[in-house]
């Protein structure tokens, strides 16, 4: 494995460029972006690969063993009430039908029920129902951080999606043109002429 | 149902756009070579995404062929491959079911065109169905489930979209690599869901006027003849949730020449389609190449 290729940098990239590349990739494949996602294990593999590549480059360059400050989450599983422990297990293993079956057997629907129902829906890709269920769970138990986090994650992932689309980051043609016109004005003030026809 | 999955041209490199067109043309030729001249009309931008996602070549080779749609210039067409043949087969199967749907929905005269096409396509459909029996059975099963939901006026937009999404997710059965198949399944489930919901949003005014089934109408329990601003926002939110999932999955695909185009479609192309649909501008461009 070529660690430079994994990070998408050239072999003579500066340390700062390598750090930036590692940061950007780690942000992309961070476990937080793949919570309750059917591909979470693949993302975790990718994180390991990225961290290993970064560590390898650092070791090569510095010639010493470093604690590379790799990103990546340890997850504190919230302690589950025994009532829903089986449901949580099924969700963790991706057996959504079993989880749903158990949930449907429950007569009364408390906040945790809505949260778990939301989790099942989210995992299935039923985003509309997931949002409704998470909202219900946070309404019924506003102090619970697990439910609040799940609900917040739904709006947060849209923000992340917009950012990755690079709407705000890309230099648009307008910005480029504006910059050139400004540069031309400054140049003319100094007695030169950057763009003769402006 | 077609033409919603397309790239955002302004942010594609010229080289990438050329490759995209080459693949589209490759699909068109694969349809002709495997299923005859008539099958070419089934080509779409949407299935071009699948052609790119399934491609195994490291570098797409070009062959210069005449184009039936623009006969004066030869086009650069992707060399034939088993993957393009596969996508051609899946395209024919979906086109067939779409024709069945049009025949069932329309009156005798309105659906006449569809009936004639169906007659002509029947043998080709049988050939594709024989080549891809698993997908054919899945599509048939899910469309029957969808018809049942429509009949029973199902209010959950997720439940109905699920039927269509499972069909598009089913494209992944054609990927041999198990890991890759999981990624494609996730991408295409969510692309399918997004397309279904956008199509429903597009059809909303027409369906409400005709008192026909529309899942958005039922989900938001509204009497409005047009989509209100609030409903449009809810639609945008839920479609973006799916696109976020599709993009997160797309990031896990190995890097190849198609990656920037695929990510362009998922991050930029489809949001621009959302804008067009919700502003009422996009009126079924039918997937013709730009």
């Amino acid at each position: 494995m070529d660690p430079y290729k994994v990070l998408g940098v050239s072999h003579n990239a500066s340390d700062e460029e390598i750090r930036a590349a590692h940061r950007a990739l780690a942000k992309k494949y961070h476990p937080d972006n793949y919570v309750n996602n059917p591909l979470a294990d693949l993302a975790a593999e990718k994180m390991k690969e990225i961290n290993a590549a970064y560590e390898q480059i650092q070791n090569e360059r510095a010639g010493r063993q470093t604690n590379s400050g790799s990103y990546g989450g340890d997850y504190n599983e919230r302690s589950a009430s025994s009532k829903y422990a089986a449901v949580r297990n099924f969700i963790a293993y991706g057996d959504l039908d079993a989880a749903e079956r158990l949930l449907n057997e429950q007569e009364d629907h408390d906040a945790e029920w809505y949260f778990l129902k939301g989790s099942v829906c989210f995992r299935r890709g039923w985003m509309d129902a997931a949002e409704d269920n998470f909202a219900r769970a946070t309404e019924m138990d506003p102090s619970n951080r697990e439910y609040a986090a799940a609900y917040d994650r739904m709006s947060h992932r849209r923000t992340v999606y917009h950012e990755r689309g690079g709407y705000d980051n890309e230099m648009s043609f307008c910005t480029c043109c504006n910059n050139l016109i400004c540069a031309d004005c400054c140049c003319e003030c100094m007695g030169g002429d950057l763009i003769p026809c402006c | 149902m077609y033409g919603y999955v397309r790239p955002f041209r302004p942010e594609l490199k010229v080289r990438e756009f050329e490759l995209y067109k080459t693949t589209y043309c490759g699909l068109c030729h694969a349809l002709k070579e495997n299923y005859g001249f008539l099958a070419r009309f089934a080509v779409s931008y949407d299935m071009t995404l699948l052609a790119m996602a399934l491609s195994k070549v490291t570098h797409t080779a070009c062959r210069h062929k005449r184009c039936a749609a623009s006969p004066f210039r030869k086009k650069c067409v992707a060399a034939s491959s088993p993957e393009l043949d596969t996508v051609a087969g899946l395209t024919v199967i979906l086109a067939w079911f779409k024709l069945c749907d049009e025949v069932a929905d329309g009156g005798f005269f309105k659906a006449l065109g569809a009936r004639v096409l169906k007659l002509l396509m029947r043998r080709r459909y049988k050939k594709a169905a024989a080549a891809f029996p698993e997908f054919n059975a899945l599509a048939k099963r899910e469309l029957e489930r969808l018809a049942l939901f429509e009949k029973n006026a199902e209010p959950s937009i997720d439940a109905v979209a699920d039927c269509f999404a499972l069909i598009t997710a089913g494209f992944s059965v054609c990927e041999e690599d198990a890991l890759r198949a999981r990624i494609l399944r996730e991408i295409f489930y969510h692309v399918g869901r997004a397309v279904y919901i956008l199509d429903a949003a597009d059809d909303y005014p027409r369906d409400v006027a005709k008192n026909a089934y529309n899942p958005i109408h039922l989900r938001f329990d509204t009497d409005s003849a047009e989509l209100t601003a609030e409903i449009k926002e809810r639609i945008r939110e839920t479609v973006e949730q799916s696109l976020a999932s599709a993009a997160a999955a797309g990031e896990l695909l190995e890097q190849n020449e198609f990656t920037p185009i695929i990510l362009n479609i998922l991050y930029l192309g489809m949001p621009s389609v959302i804008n067009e649909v919700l502003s009422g501008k996009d009126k079924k461009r039918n997937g013709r190449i730009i």
Side-chain angles (χ1 to χ4, degrees):
Chain A
M1 171 197 74
D2 177 1
Y4 292 91
K5 194 158 171 235
V6 170
L7 293 184
V9 293
S10 73
H11 279 251
N12 45 19
S14 71
D15 285 342
E16 185 46 51
E17 280 168 357
I18 297 197
R19 243 193 312 274
H22 176 236
R23 210 169 23 235
L25 284 172
K27 205 171 155 196
K28 196 186 275 200
Y29 295 106
H30 196 277
D32 278 350
N33 295 331
Y34 289 89
V35 172
N36 199 17
N37 188 306
L39 304 175
D41 58 325
L42 298 180
E45 276 298 312
K46 197 80 191 175
M47 270 307 282
K48 266 184 19 206
E49 201 183 301
I50 292 162
N51 286 335
Y54 184 57
E55 193 167 337
Q56 189 179 333
I57 295 176
Q58 285 209 304
N59 289 346
E60 279 170 14
R61 290 191 171 196
R64 66 179 190 273
Q65 287 297 317
T66 54
N67 192 1
S68 64
S70 49
Y71 293 84
D74 273 339
Y75 271 80
N76 287 326
E77 290 294 329
R78 309 262 171 210
S79 57
S81 71
S82 57
K83 189 170 163 204
Y84 293 115
V87 175
R88 286 175 183 268
N89 277 332
F90 280 131
I91 296 174
Y93 284 112
D95 191 347
L96 303 177
D97 291 336
E100 194 139 41
R101 229 180 356 256
L102 279 184
L103 282 173
N104 290 341
E105 281 169 13
Q106 291 291 331
E107 294 245 324
D108 43 48
H109 300 166
D110 57 1
E112 192 174 4
W113 188 94
Y114 283 107
F115 165 71
L116 291 172
K117 182 81 181 183
S119 300
V120 170
C121 289
F122 184 85
R123 189 69 177 256
R124 275 199 204 285
W126 290 30
M127 298 306 186
D128 191 39
E131 191 150 2
D132 277 351
N133 282 301
F134 287 145
R136 199 72 186 276
T138 52
E139 259 172 59
M140 289 175 82
D141 188 357
S143 62
N144 188 302
R145 287 170 59 191
E146 191 184 21
Y147 312 160
Y151 186 59
D152 290 341
R153 233 184 336 258
M154 287 211 77
S155 56
H156 178 67
R157 65 201 300 269
R158 279 182 68 214
T159 310
V160 169
Y161 171 70
H162 290 153
E163 276 171 11
R164 300 252 189 89
Y167 291 127
D168 319 307
N169 308 351
E170 297 283 323
M171 175 134 104
S172 70
F173 183 69
C174 287
T175 318
C176 183
C177 207
N178 280 338
N179 289 349
L180 281 172
I181 291 173
C182 287
D184 182 48
C185 288
C186 291
C187 196
E188 283 171 29
C189 287
M190 309 286 199
D193 195 0
L194 182 65
I195 302 173
C197 52
C198 280
Chain B
M1 211 50 101
Y2 289 100
Y4 292 108
V5 182
R6 44 185 204 252
F8 184 62
R9 267 183 80 185
E11 292 290 346
L12 270 187
K13 295 196 167 110
V14 176
R15 155 172 65 78
E16 290 164 357
F17 184 57
E18 295 298 320
L19 177 58
Y20 179 73
K21 281 195 292 187
T22 297
T23 310
Y24 179 94
C25 295
L27 177 56
C28 186
H29 278 261
L31 279 162
K32 186 195 87 169
E33 281 153 25
N34 289 290
Y35 299 101
F37 182 80
L38 200 60
R40 294 178 107 155
F41 292 100
V43 73
S44 64
Y45 296 144
D46 314 68
M47 296 307 270
T48 308
L49 173 63
L50 180 61
M52 292 192 291
L54 285 178
S55 172
K56 296 273 179 293
V57 296
T58 35
H59 180 71
T60 300
C62 212
R63 41 182 181 146
H64 287 88
K65 298 279 232 161
R66 280 207 190 284
C67 175
S70 61
F72 298 111
R73 282 177 53 178
K74 279 198 170 176
K75 300 257 184 175
C76 176
V77 174
S80 65
S81 70
E83 289 75 41
L84 279 174
D85 294 338
T86 297
V87 180
L90 302 183
T91 302
V92 167
I93 293 175
L94 285 180
W96 169 263
F97 284 120
K98 183 159 191 275
L99 285 173
C100 293
D101 199 43
E102 284 174 25
V103 165
D105 281 349
F108 182 75
F109 288 108
K110 269 193 191 167
L112 197 57
R115 278 177 209 277
V116 170
L117 273 172
K118 238 189 108 172
L119 213 63
L120 295 168
M121 289 292 292
R122 183 178 297 269
R123 233 186 47 222
R124 290 156 174 104
Y125 161 67
K126 291 263 180 261
K127 180 183 174 192
F132 304 101
E134 202 181 332
F135 180 76
N136 183 54
L138 166 72
K140 196 153 180 271
R141 192 171 60 236
E142 290 306 325
L143 288 171
E144 279 167 11
R145 230 164 44 94
L146 184 56
L148 211 59
F149 277 137
E150 289 191 8
K151 198 161 142 242
N152 297 332
E154 171 62 48
S156 161
I157 206 168
D158 288 323
V160 208
D162 187 60
C163 301
F164 187 75
L166 285 175
I167 296 176
T168 50
F171 293 152
S172 63
V173 306
C174 299
E175 170 59 62
E176 296 127 10
D177 182 308
L179 228 62
R180 223 167 169 273
R182 283 175 60 197
I183 299 174
L184 293 184
R185 192 178 173 80
E186 177 78 352
I187 294 175
F188 284 99
Y189 179 91
H190 283 287
V191 167
R193 181 175 179 273
V195 165
Y196 184 83
I197 296 175
L198 287 173
D199 190 60
D202 229 352
D203 286 346
Y204 182 89
R206 192 195 70 184
D207 288 341
V208 170
K210 277 168 45 185
N211 207 20
Y213 172 82
N214 186 292
I216 294 177
H217 190 209
L218 288 164
R219 161 68 178 94
F220 295 105
D221 199 20
T222 173
D223 282 322
S224 162
E226 302 272 331
L227 291 170
T228 65
E230 199 207 316
I231 294 180
K232 281 184 186 178
E233 193 46 41
R234 296 289 299 277
I235 292 172
R236 179 188 297 277
E237 280 169 15
T238 202
V239 172
E240 283 186 358
Q241 289 290 346
S242 264
L243 293 178
S245 293
E251 297 281 9
L252 292 169
L253 282 174
E254 78 289 352
Q255 289 279 326
N256 66 19
E257 60 180 355
F258 293 114
T259 310
I261 312 176
I262 295 174
L263 293 181
N264 173 298
I265 292 175
L266 297 178
Y267 279 118
L268 297 174
M270 292 203 65
S272 85
V273 171
I274 298 177
N275 289 336
E276 284 183 22
V277 168
L278 293 183
S279 68
K281 268 193 261 164
D282 182 80
K283 281 303 157 216
K284 307 264 192 207
R285 238 192 276 167
N286 275 331
R288 283 279 163 269
I289 196 74
I290 312 146

